[in-house]
Amino acid sequence: NELEDIINYYLDFDQYNKASKAIEFGSSIYPFELFYKIKRAEILLASQNTGKAIRMLESAREMEPTNVEIAKLLGDAYSINGKFKKAIDCYLFALNRNLDTADILLRLASISLITHNDSKAMEYINSLPADFVYDEFALQDFMKLFYDFEKYELAQTFLKGVIDSDPYNYSAWYYLGLTYQKSEKYNKGIDAFEYCIAIDDKNTLGHLGKGNCLMELKQYNDAIVCFKNSMDNDASDAEVLCNIAECYENLENLSSARYYYLRAIKADQELADGYFGIAMVYKKQEQYKQAENNLLKAIDLDELES
């Protein structure tokens, strides 16, 4: 049990070399323990060596055909390899034995979206346990599923169902606003974010989302107010400061724009957008040397930014 805890600890933090050493050590003491073979396969999957992982897991499954953890990992491996029918079979096997029900349902929904079976995906999503759907962090996990596949209308339909059941669910209103923002329906996004703010004025996400929508609508003064309300002095504030600076730049208030770009860079010295933004301000002010220096710094931080 202690070896299992150590191995899982290393895997949780992606320390695969240390996990491999712990697996080797465990195998030397317990050579017939299947757990170590499963964990080896998990490391192979993490390193994208799916073929070898599948062979190892199929071998393990012959020894323990009812092991649901093996079935789940096999499903992951087959899914990565594009063998979706085999992946679904493995996931359904695990689901029928009640292993991580929500986790498996999300995997099945993901495959359904990949194979363009939206109705089946929604069937799996609507089968998610209620305590999972209403949990803030869980909601974040499976909203990502909609966003990864750009299924914004499906996301809106689902979130409206959550809100009908729980009108004061802050997270559901926030993700509804974010969904509208991603689908460029900015006025509807603002309405949803205003519900967030009405439910919890102290939560910064609603203000940030509303600010982003206002910025897209070129309502820069109102956006600046929202961005300032969204700041809570954490690492993400650098990007918010950058947005405030960009609003001032669009309002041709170059001194304020430069001030906020400098604050953004001070908050995060690796923020390429901050150096690019202040370079554009220097360019408008005809301070070309300073503009060039900051552009070179931005390129140094993000060489792929055209």
Side-chain angles (χ1 to χ4, degrees):
N1 289 339
E2 290 167 352
L3 280 166
E4 183 176 338
D5 290 342
I6 289 167
I7 291 163
N8 286 331
Y9 174 86
Y10 286 139
L11 289 174
D12 285 343
F13 290 93
D14 300 333
Q15 296 184 30
Y16 300 120
N17 287 335
K18 290 184 177 180
S20 293
K21 288 179 182 177
I23 290 167
E24 286 174 21
F25 179 71
S27 295
S28 70
I29 303 173
Y30 306 107
F32 302 109
E33 177 54 58
L34 197 61
F35 167 80
Y36 299 111
K37 184 176 281 192
I38 295 169
K39 290 300 169 181
R40 277 202 190 96
E42 202 172 317
I43 291 171
L44 288 168
L45 271 181
S47 59
Q48 300 298 308
N49 193 342
T50 50
K52 192 171 181 180
I54 287 169
R55 289 192 296 274
M56 188 172 287
L57 288 165
E58 287 289 10
S59 167
R61 201 177 195 188
E62 287 178 8
M63 297 167 67
E64 282 193 19
T66 59
N67 188 309
V68 288
E69 187 62 34
I70 295 171
K72 180 181 162 186
L73 282 172
L74 258 177
D76 292 345
Y78 282 131
S79 180
I80 293 167
N81 267 14
K83 297 178 179 177
F84 300 122
K85 177 67 173 67
K86 286 188 173 184
I88 289 169
D89 289 342
C90 290
Y91 289 144
L92 289 174
F93 178 89
L95 185 67
N96 290 334
R97 282 151 184 80
N98 296 317
L99 173 77
D100 299 330
T101 303
D103 194 31
I104 299 298
L105 285 167
L106 287 179
R107 282 167 158 80
L108 287 164
S110 177
I111 289 177
S112 298
L113 291 173
I114 291 169
T115 55
H116 308 291
N117 192 342
D118 291 359
S119 60
K120 194 66 179 176
M122 290 307 296
E123 203 177 298
Y124 288 127
I125 287 168
N126 288 326
S127 299
L128 287 165
D131 59 342
F132 183 86
V133 171
Y134 292 102
D135 177 79
E136 179 182 347
F137 298 106
L139 195 61
Q140 177 181 334
D141 279 345
F142 76 88
M143 286 312 298
K144 185 178 182 298
L145 190 66
F146 288 120
Y147 297 153
D148 284 347
F149 293 97
E150 298 184 0
K151 299 290 184 180
Y152 303 127
E153 289 186 11
L154 289 180
Q156 289 159 23
T157 302
F158 177 78
L159 288 165
K160 286 173 183 175
V162 175
I163 289 166
D164 285 344
S165 301
D166 183 8
Y168 295 99
N169 188 318
Y170 179 95
S171 296
W173 279 111
Y174 169 74
Y175 284 111
L176 183 61
L178 190 60
T179 304
Y180 282 132
Q181 181 188 328
K182 287 179 177 291
S183 53
E184 300 182 5
K185 297 176 181 177
Y186 300 117
N187 285 311
K188 285 188 174 182
I190 289 168
D191 290 342
F193 288 128
E194 283 180 346
Y195 274 104
C196 289
I197 294 165
I199 292 166
D200 182 3
D201 184 57
K202 301 299 181 186
N203 194 310
T204 60
L205 291 174
H207 294 287
L208 180 61
K210 184 181 176 183
N212 285 327
C213 288
L214 288 165
M215 191 175 176
E216 294 291 344
L217 293 171
K218 300 183 179 180
Q219 298 178 32
Y220 299 118
N221 284 312
D222 291 337
I224 288 167
V225 173
C226 289
F227 286 138
K228 288 181 177 178
N229 286 334
S230 79
M231 295 175 67
D232 54 9
N233 297 312
D234 67 9
S236 64
D237 280 355
E239 292 184 12
V240 179
L241 289 164
C242 212
N243 284 351
I244 293 171
E246 190 176 337
C247 287
Y248 278 121
E249 186 184 348
N250 287 318
L251 291 167
E252 296 299 323
N253 185 340
L254 299 183
S255 60
S256 292
R258 185 165 72 173
Y259 169 74
Y260 279 99
Y261 278 130
L262 285 169
R263 279 188 63 186
I265 292 166
K266 187 175 181 182
D268 181 3
Q269 295 182 10
E270 303 297 311
L271 186 66
D273 286 348
Y275 292 100
F276 177 81
I278 201 167
M280 294 300 97
V281 171
Y282 281 131
K283 183 183 175 185
K284 288 177 181 177
Q285 294 175 326
E286 299 183 356
Q287 298 181 41
Y288 299 117
K289 187 61 182 173
Q290 291 93 323
E292 182 185 0
N293 289 339
N294 280 280
L295 279 172
L296 288 170
K297 179 66 176 175
I299 292 166
D300 184 48
L301 289 169
D302 189 356
E303 293 179 357
L304 299 179
E305 175 52 68
S306 58

